[in-house]
């Protein structure tokens, strides 16, 4: 076993509040603690990407690029980490290579030091452009595979993907377990296999959703994992990560002692305890999110279960919820076992809801047709041929990298923004508009001068 200290990615500024407080933490809530966080000695501070970009523009009336620059001003030692969905950037569709490249370049120029990249289908082709741009920009590139369970996902398939990512230049590998499905002894075996085959650091990211996360970390640490993702206690547990303080305390005096000072963490945690209360009151949020062991049976993250129930309630069909729970795994299997992470979780969930409400595949959303014909990339397993014939009979199949079909977009986006009254828009504003056009325009109307 490795005797090196376990490193920690602190997620309180991104995934912690995304998981428990709908990504509503404001930059002003972070500012008083940035210098103290910088002194802790973390591997990185995850503070950007994921849903923060959308949330800044849509709900907080903040410029996400300005948030990034502000955080960077206060962090002299610790790299800022972001989460990027490969060819999807931070949106839900694939973008042209020039948009992806420019987004990565501007992210690094504005302060990002570590870029964690993932693709919802684990299709490495969808990560190539972003990885290349991140390497060229000088960032630490963390390639991820999304952990999920199916007859087509196993240790061998995950190790193979990790090797593919390292060959493409990944500086570290992340096991991204977004639903809290990774069991402790499975984690031990997976990390052991990865450490044998690849020579870059391994980072484990999980969620407490199933209640196993801290045990999973401990077994992964015994197997030699290099880095684990944690959140300070006010924004830990529930559907978030294990608490930073508890992991640091657990390893104190042991071979893999993190070397972090608990007293430094307590003072920062006290601040975020107050922030959590204020955010919950201001936005009327329930931040007391329980663990949900049902995720182990259905592999459906808890937040998604409540969304699906609401969908049925709106149609007066709440009594069909048990049917929906049974339908989800069937649809997932028929559609090639995609991992249930943005955007595939929403796509599979809506198809299951339509099936229960209207009859199986009687109404098929465009996103399902796109998934079936390869527009999002290669599914982990082949799509059931009978279902494929039913939903995309005669439509063009995409068996190459989907973004190869998308012509450059930056110039036309600049032109559109000029037509909206912003001919001098910065590259950052063009990129905000590229990813969230309507939301960005609304934000610009309130915060930019038209010319």
């Amino acid at each position: 076993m490795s005797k090196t200290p376990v490193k920690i990615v602190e997620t309180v500024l991104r995934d912690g509040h995304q998981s428990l407080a709908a990504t509503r933490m404001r930059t002003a809530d972070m500012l008083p603690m940035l210098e103290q966080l910088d002194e802790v000695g973390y591997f990185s501070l995850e503070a950007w990407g994921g849903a923060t970009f959308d949330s800044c523009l849509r709900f907080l009336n903040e410029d996400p690029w300005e948030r990034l620059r502000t955080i960077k001003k206060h962090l002299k030692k610790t790299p800022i980490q972001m989460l990027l969905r490969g060819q999807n950037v931070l949106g839900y569709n694939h973008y042209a290579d020039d948009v992806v490249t420019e987004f990565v370049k501007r992210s690094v120029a504005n302060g990002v030091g570590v870029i964690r990249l993932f693709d919802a289908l684990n299709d490495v082709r969808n990560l190539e452009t972003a990885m290349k741009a991140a390497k060229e920009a000088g960032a630490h590139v963390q390639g991820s595979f999304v952990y999920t369970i199916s007859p087509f996902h196993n240790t061998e398939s995950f190790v193979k993907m990790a090797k593919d990512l390292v060959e493409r230049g990944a500086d570290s590998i992340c096991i991204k377990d977004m639903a809290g499905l990774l069991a402790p002894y499975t984690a031990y075996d997976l990390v052991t296999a990865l450490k044998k085959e690849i020579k870059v650091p391994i980072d484990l990211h999980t969620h407490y959703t199933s209640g196993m996360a801290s045990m999973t970390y401990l077994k992964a640490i015994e197997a030699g994992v290099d880095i684990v993702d944690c959140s300070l206690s006010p924004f830990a547990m529930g559907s978030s990560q294990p608490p930073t303080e508890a992991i640091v305390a657990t390893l104190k005096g042991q071979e893999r002692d993190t070397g972090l000072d608990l007293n430094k963490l307590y003072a920062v945690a006290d601040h975020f305890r107050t922030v959590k209360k204020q955010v919950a009151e201001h936005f009327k949020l329930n931040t007391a999110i329980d663990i949900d062991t049902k995720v182990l049976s259905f592999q459906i993250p808890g937040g998604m279960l409540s969304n699906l129930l609401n969908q049925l309630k709106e149609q007066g069909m709440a009594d069909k919820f048990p049917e929906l729970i049974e339908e989800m795994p069937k649809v997932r299997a028929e559609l090639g076992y995609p991992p249930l992470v943005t955007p595939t979780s929403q796509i599979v969930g809506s198809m299951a809801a339509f099936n229960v409400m209207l009859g199986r595949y009687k109404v098929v959303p465009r996103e399902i047709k796109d998934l079936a014909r390869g527009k999002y990339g290669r599914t982990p397993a082949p799509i059931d041929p009978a279902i494929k014939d039913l939903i995309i009979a005669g439509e063009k199949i995409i068996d190459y990298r989907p973004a190869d079909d998308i012509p450059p977009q930056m110039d036309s986006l600049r032109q559109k923004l000029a037509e909206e009254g912003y001919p001098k828009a910065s590259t950052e504003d063009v990129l905000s508009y590229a990813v969230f056009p309507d939301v960005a325009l609304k934000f610009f109307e309130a915060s930019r001068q038209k010319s």
Side-chain angles (χ1 to χ4, degrees), residues 172-231:
S172 61
I173 291 295
C174 175
I175 304 165
K176 183 175 167 53
D177 175 27
M178 68 289 165
L181 297 173
L182 183 57
Y185 290 96
T186 310
Y188 183 91
D189 294 342
L190 178 56
V191 171
T192 301
L194 286 166
K195 294 297 286 182
K196 262 192 203 140
E197 295 286 340
I198 61 175
K199 299 300 169 229
V200 301
I202 311 291
D203 185 340
L204 175 54
H205 170 94
T206 191
H207 288 251
Y208 228 100
T209 317
S210 66
M212 298 192 294
S214 290
M215 295 180 282
T216 296
Y217 276 2
L218 208 48
K219 290 306 291 180
I221 287 164
E222 286 175 10
V225 84
D226 301 276
I227 311 161
V228 291
D229 285 18
C230 302
S231 179

Side-chain angles (χ1 to χ4, degrees), residues 158-305:
F158 291 131
V159 169
K160 181 188 179 301
M161 182 167 175
K163 286 164 108 171
D164 286 352
L165 290 166
V166 172
E167 278 169 22
R168 285 167 170 79
D171 299 300
S172 61
I173 291 295
C174 175
I175 304 165
K176 183 175 167 53
D177 175 27
M178 68 289 165
L181 297 173
L182 183 57
Y185 290 96
T186 310
Y188 183 91
D189 294 342
L190 178 56
V191 171
T192 301
L194 286 166
K195 294 297 286 182
K196 262 192 203 140
E197 295 286 340
I198 61 175
K199 299 300 169 229
V200 301
I202 311 291
D203 185 340
L204 175 54
H205 170 94
T206 191
H207 288 251
Y208 228 100
T209 317
S210 66
M212 298 192 294
S214 290
M215 295 180 282
T216 296
Y217 276 2
L218 208 48
K219 290 306 291 180
I221 287 164
E222 286 175 10
V225 84
D226 301 276
I227 311 161
V228 291
D229 285 18
C230 302
S231 179
L232 284 164
S233 53
F235 285 97
M237 316 265 287
S239 54
S240 180
Q241 280 77 52
T244 311
E245 305 96 307
I247 296 297
V248 170
T250 299
L251 297 174
K252 202 154 189 59
Q254 304 304 311
E255 284 186 332
R256 307 285 317 274
D257 191 329
T258 63
L260 303 189
D261 181 346
L262 271 171
N263 290 316
K264 286 183 178 174
L265 298 175
Y266 292 148
V268 184
D270 285 343
H271 167 79
F272 285 111
R273 202 162 282 114
T274 306
V275 166
K276 186 179 178 184
K277 278 193 195 121
Q278 291 168 343
V279 167
E281 283 165 16
H282 183 77
F283 291 103
K284 298 182 173 51
L285 298 171
N286 170 28
T287 56
I289 295 169
D290 295 330
I291 64 166
D292 186 355
T293 53
K294 289 196 294 293
V295 74
L296 296 173
S297 304
F298 311 126
Q299 298 186 33
I300 306 169
M304 193 177 163
L305 277 175

Side-chain angles (χ1 to χ4, degrees), residues 94-100 406-416 430 434:
H94 282 186
Y95 296 90
D97 287 340
D98 66 335
V99 171
V100 176
I406 310 173
Q409 293 171 315
M410 284 299 288
D411 288 346
S412 62
L413 288 161
R414 268 187 204 286
Q415 182 57 38
K416 278 184 193 160
V430 175

